[in-house]
């Protein structure tokens, strides 16, 4: 999905993530979507955070992300993280991101629409031809069906169909155009919040990690797992996900809970700095 596509390191520690991010940040002459911002000396703070600066940060806690009925393990994990960050000297403030409740709906209109548009070229004839998928002698229509059927999995097909629907004549204004308008409101919520806080802390998901493949047959449950990480993508802000506790501290059979830090645009250094000091304690 072009307008939501992003890149970020997946690392064992926050320090490792900072090292990788420092290497990939900045302008790449072969990437039209890159930015030259980190080609300055300011990029050095990615690897050398200052505790004095970290202590001065105000952290926002959006009420829409902390709802009654949350999984007790998530609640305990987030309270643990907040307590540790308080011990560093960070101050916390309650904030509101009122359009958060629309984020999931907006996301699953915009993403399928862009997926449908971007994958239209992959017809299995000119692009991504799959040997053996189209029987010799079959007519053109059958070849298209067999090639595209073999080339895409169930989730891709689901998104192509939904995206084609929301972009179709008579539905574009009702769905896609309206979703883009609400997306702007979601971004404005973050912009307004960052007038009074430096970073925002939220859970990563409403439940602890689940096992590989555990929800593969329930796409709606998989979509709902993204409900707390989707708004930041729609707004276009940097974020980092950090386990509330090291793996060694988990009880047998207990799966990790993560907390999410969201920062101002181009302020990845703030998130990485907080994360590195959090890991130290």
């Amino acid at each position: 999905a072009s307008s939501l596509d992003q890149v970020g390191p997946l690392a064992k520690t926050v320090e490792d993530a900072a090292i990788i991010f420092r290497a990939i940040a900045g302008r790449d002459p072969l990437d039209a979507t890159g930015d030259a911002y980190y080609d300055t000396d300011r990029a050095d703070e990615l690897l050398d955070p200052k505790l004095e600066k970290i202590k001065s940060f105000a952290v926002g806690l959006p009420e829409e992300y902390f709802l009654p009925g949350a999984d007790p393990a998530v609640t305990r994990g987030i309270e643990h993280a907040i307590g540790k960050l308080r011990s560093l000297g960070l101050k916390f403030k309650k904030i509101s991101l009122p359009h958060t409740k629309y984020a999931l709906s907006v996301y699953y209109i915009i993403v399928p629409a862009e997926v449908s548009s971007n994958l239209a070229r992959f017809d299995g004839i000119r692009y991504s031809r799959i040997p053996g998928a189209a029987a010799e002698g079959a007519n053109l229509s059958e070849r298209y069906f067999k090639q595209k059927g073999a080339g895409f999995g169930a989730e891709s097909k689901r998104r192509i169909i939904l995206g084609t629907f929301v972009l179709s004549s008579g539905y574009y204004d009702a769905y896609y155009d309206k979703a883009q308008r609400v997306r702007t409101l979601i971004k404005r919520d973050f912009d307004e919040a960052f007038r009074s806080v430096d970073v925002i802390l939220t859970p990563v998901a409403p439940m602890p990690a689940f096992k590989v493949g555990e929800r593969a047959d329930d796409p709606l449950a998989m979509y709902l797992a993204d409900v707390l990480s989707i708004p930041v993508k729609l707004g276009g802000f940097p974020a980092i996900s950090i386990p509330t506790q090291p793996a060694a501290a988990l009880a047998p059979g207990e799966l990790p809970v993560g907390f999410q830090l969201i920062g101002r645009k181009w302020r990845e250094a703030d998130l990485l700095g907080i994360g590195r000091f959090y890991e130290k304690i």
Side-chain angles (χ1 to χ4, degrees):
S2 304
S3 72
L4 291 142
D5 212 6
Q6 56 195 289
V7 61
L10 179 65
K12 192 170 184 178
T13 68
V14 178
E15 183 178 11
D16 288 349
I19 293 169
I20 300 170
F21 185 81
R22 176 67 181 86
I24 65 176
R27 173 69 72 186
D28 179 344
L30 300 181
D31 181 3
T33 65
D35 195 280
Y37 180 84
Y38 280 108
D39 288 344
T40 69
D41 293 337
R42 293 187 66 186
D44 293 340
E45 64 182 319
L46 292 165
L47 305 183
D48 187 25
K50 306 299 183 185
L51 184 57
E52 293 75 18
K53 183 176 181 179
I54 298 299
K55 287 181 177 180
S56 70
F57 286 160
V59 182
L61 300 175
E63 58 185 33
E64 293 80 8
Y65 286 68
F66 298 88
L67 299 175
D71 190 294
V74 173
T75 301
R76 289 194 303 271
I78 297 302
E79 289 176 349
H80 174 84
I82 291 173
K84 291 292 185 182
L85 291 174
R86 285 190 195 277
S87 71
L88 280 175
L90 279 76
K91 305 297 187 293
F92 288 81
K93 177 182 179 180
K94 290 186 178 180
I95 61 172
S96 179
L97 300 172
H99 293 95
T100 294
K101 59 185 177 182
Y102 303 116
L104 193 68
S105 300
V106 168
Y107 184 84
Y108 281 106
I109 291 174
I110 294 175
V111 168
E114 295 187 1
V115 167
S116 172
S117 177
N118 288 337
L119 296 184
R121 81 183 91 169
F122 293 96
D123 55 11
I125 305 298
R126 296 166 298 171
Y127 294 92
S128 65
R129 185 176 181 184
I130 301 170
E136 289 297 327
N139 61 44
L140 184 60
S141 178
E142 290 176 353
R143 283 180 177 246
Y144 274 121
F145 273 107
K146 289 183 178 180
Q147 285 283 347
K148 298 204 81 166
F152 293 117
E155 184 59 31
S156 297
K157 293 176 184 176
R158 190 178 295 117
R159 295 189 180 202
I160 290 170
I161 292 170
L162 180 57
T164 303
F165 173 77
V166 300
L167 291 176
S168 61
S169 177
Y171 294 100
Y172 178 92
D173 291 338
Y175 292 103
Y176 185 75
D177 182 64
K178 188 173 290 184
Q180 291 288 16
R181 293 171 184 266
V182 178
R183 179 183 188 173
T184 300
L185 297 178
I186 292 170
K187 182 181 183 301
R188 287 178 183 172
D189 285 349
F190 281 101
D191 289 335
E192 184 62 30
F194 284 128
R195 294 178 184 271
S196 59
V197 299
D198 299 286
V199 297
I200 297 171
L201 185 149
T202 78
V204 173
M207 75 289 288
F210 46 86
K211 296 178 180 179
V212 174
E214 190 174 39
R215 302 189 177 196
D217 296 329
D218 189 349
L220 183 58
M222 290 293 290
Y223 295 168
L224 292 174
D226 296 336
V227 66
L228 301 181
S229 59
I230 277 174
V232 66
K233 298 178 178 65
L234 293 170
F237 297 94
I240 186 172
S241 169
I242 304 171
T244 58
Q245 297 185 74
L250 299 176
E254 185 180 8
L255 290 169
V257 169
F259 71 96
Q260 176 179 223
L261 293 173
I262 305 166
R264 294 186 176 97
K265 192 174 183 181
W266 308 126
R267 293 308 308 163
E268 287 87 350
D270 296 345
L271 311 180
L272 291 163
I274 295 173
R276 289 180 68 177
F277 284 111
Y278 181 85
E279 285 187 336
K280 289 182 180 179
I281 59 171

